[in-house]
Amino acid sequence: MRIQRATLLMTIIFIASVVYIILYFKLFIPTPEQERNITVILKEHNIHSDFWQTVSAGAEAAAKVSGAEITITGPLQETDIEAQIRLLEEVLERKPQAVVIAPINDDRVTTELNKIQEAKIPLVIIDTPVSLNAAPAIVSNDHIAAGMQAGKVTLEQTANHPKSVIISDFVTSGVSKEREKGVHKALLPYTESVYGTYYCSDSEERAYMIAKMMMKDHSDLNAIIALNESAALGAAKAIKDANKTGLVKLIGFDTSIYEIRLLEENTLNATIVQQPFNIGYLGVQTVLDLLDGKRVKPVTYTNSIVVTKENMYSQENQKLLFPFIDK
């Protein structure tokens, strides 16, 4: 009888010890996380594009902090829709754990993104908002707010008497539409302040011809608002050729080495600069949160900064203008 009791007691102690060890390891000893792999598809994956290289650097930084494996790819040019579609088809074949993409604005790209959602692959859209069957998480610059910044700096540059034109890239561009909306919102109290919006099809030469024609047709024109880099570069050439530097104020968006030179020579009076590193970082961080089962914001906005010749040499703005140069 005593032997049976002793055996029962030893059995209970053994079971309790096993349960204790299991609970201890479960509660106090961290288990190695499952390796997470993320595919990031940019609009343009090209070493000559400072903007997208900075987005890429932000994405890599977020992956490094979390220990996730990351693959970054994209077309060599923003206009290469077919290349981005092929990359999305490859994603569906490989099935990574999550996808972050800056989509080119095209219905076929949207179709592939819907397929990714149907495959239950967590998806985050960066830079360019897009409408899908199921609303994705979005990380983007607030393009309407950026447009308002452009409108307000136009007012400052023209002493609140703007007579302007807007040069956009494509009528179908979602980003440019939102920027234009913001410009009009800022200029709304000023009647007849915008002669119209014209589209250069992302061509400097067409932007040059538009700006040249507008200056000829409107002798009181005192501002050109260029919604992307090619529009700004083409308009700047037209302003210089017409000897109207300083007379026709040029407001642009984003930054490149060419736009920086135009700022320095006062042909470009201001440019609205995004924070691409933050877009890349927050895009990857958001998709990692989705993988961890966390609730994320439907839309996360990043801010823009107005850069002029007067403030372009500040430490903060130098980091935006020259993101890959050690200071």
Side-chain angles (χ1 to χ4, degrees):
M1 192 68 162
R2 286 180 180 175
I3 294 174
Q4 288 178 344
R5 284 179 182 175
T7 303
L8 180 59
L9 182 61
M10 290 296 292
T11 302
I12 292 171
I13 292 171
F14 175 76
I15 292 171
S17 299
V18 170
V19 170
Y20 174 80
I21 291 168
I22 291 171
L23 287 174
Y24 178 83
F25 275 92
K26 202 170 180 78
L27 293 174
F28 301 108
I29 304 297
T31 55
E33 291 185 7
Q34 182 184 3
E35 188 173 301
R36 296 172 291 181
N37 60 84
I38 300 161
T39 294
V40 176
I41 303 176
L42 304 177
K43 276 186 184 176
E44 181 178 327
H45 193 41
N46 187 326
I47 60 170
H48 299 296
S49 171
D50 287 346
F51 180 87
W52 291 111
Q53 285 296 298
T54 311
V55 173
S56 178
E60 288 176 347
K64 186 176 180 180
V65 167
S66 67
E69 181 184 339
I70 189 169
T71 302
I72 301 177
T73 185
L76 289 176
Q77 294 182 329
E78 282 196 33
T79 52
D80 194 347
I81 298 167
E82 300 298 334
Q84 193 171 70
I85 290 171
R86 285 195 299 272
L87 290 170
L88 287 167
E89 289 171 345
E90 290 171 11
V91 162
L92 281 167
E93 289 176 9
R94 290 188 291 105
K95 288 189 169 53
Q97 288 181 308
V99 173
V100 177
I101 181 171
I104 296 173
N105 189 14
D106 187 272
D107 288 342
R108 291 169 295 168
V109 172
T110 302
T111 298
E112 294 303 317
L113 293 176
N114 280 321
K115 289 179 184 176
I116 287 173
Q117 285 189 324
E118 289 164 8
K120 306 298 183 186
I121 300 172
L123 176 68
V124 170
I125 304 295
I126 61 171
D127 182 65
T128 308
V130 64
S131 179
L132 301 179
N133 294 338
I138 295 172
V139 175
S140 170
N141 182 247
D142 189 336
H143 297 296
I144 293 177
M148 290 185 69
Q149 287 175 303
K152 288 174 182 176
V153 78
T154 300
L155 292 173
E156 293 169 7
Q157 293 286 334
T158 60
N160 291 333
H161 290 90
K163 294 293 180 181
S164 65
V165 294
I166 298 171
I167 303 180
S168 184
D169 46 0
F170 297 99
V171 70
T172 56
S173 170
V175 169
S176 293
K177 277 183 183 177
E178 292 195 346
R179 288 175 176 174
E180 183 184 354
K181 191 182 296 182
V183 170
H184 282 294
K185 194 171 181 180
L187 299 182
L188 185 62
Y190 300 84
T191 58
E192 299 180 350
S193 59
V194 181
Y195 284 120
T197 300
Y198 301 86
Y199 300 93
C200 70
S201 301
D202 209 22
S203 161
E204 287 181 37
E205 184 59 32
R206 283 181 64 85
Y208 171 82
M209 296 304 296
I210 291 167
K212 186 177 178 180
M213 181 180 66
M214 289 298 102
M215 286 187 288
K216 182 181 177 182
D217 291 350
H218 303 283
S219 58
D220 62 345
L221 187 78
N222 61 10
I224 296 175
I225 303 167
L227 300 185
N228 76 338
E229 182 187 345
S230 58
L233 298 182
K237 184 176 184 298
I239 289 170
K240 287 195 284 187
D241 285 356
N243 293 316
K244 290 194 174 183
T245 299
L247 299 175
V248 176
K249 306 297 184 178
L250 178 58
I251 313 303
F253 279 82
D254 300 326
T255 179
S256 69
I257 190 66
Y258 307 107
E259 287 178 298
I260 292 165
R261 288 173 187 163
L262 292 171
L263 274 174
E264 289 175 330
E265 66 184 41
N266 284 326
T267 305
L268 181 64
N269 300 93
T271 185
I272 315 303
V273 181
Q274 300 184 64
Q275 296 179 312
F277 185 92
N278 293 2
I279 293 172
Y281 190 98
L282 292 172
V284 169
Q285 185 57 61
T286 299
V287 90
L288 287 169
D289 287 344
L290 286 175
L291 285 173
D292 290 340
K294 297 177 182 176
R295 182 176 293 181
V296 302
K297 295 179 183 178
V299 181
T300 300
Y301 282 128
T302 60
N303 298 321
S304 294
I305 293 175
V306 179
V307 178
T308 64
K309 185 176 181 179
E310 289 69 34
N311 69 16
M312 67 183 292
Y313 300 108
S314 71
Q315 186 174 359
E316 180 185 6
N317 289 344
Q318 285 284 290
K319 288 178 182 177
L320 285 173
L321 297 175
F322 303 100
F324 299 110
I325 296 178
D326 261 345
K327 297 187 179 58

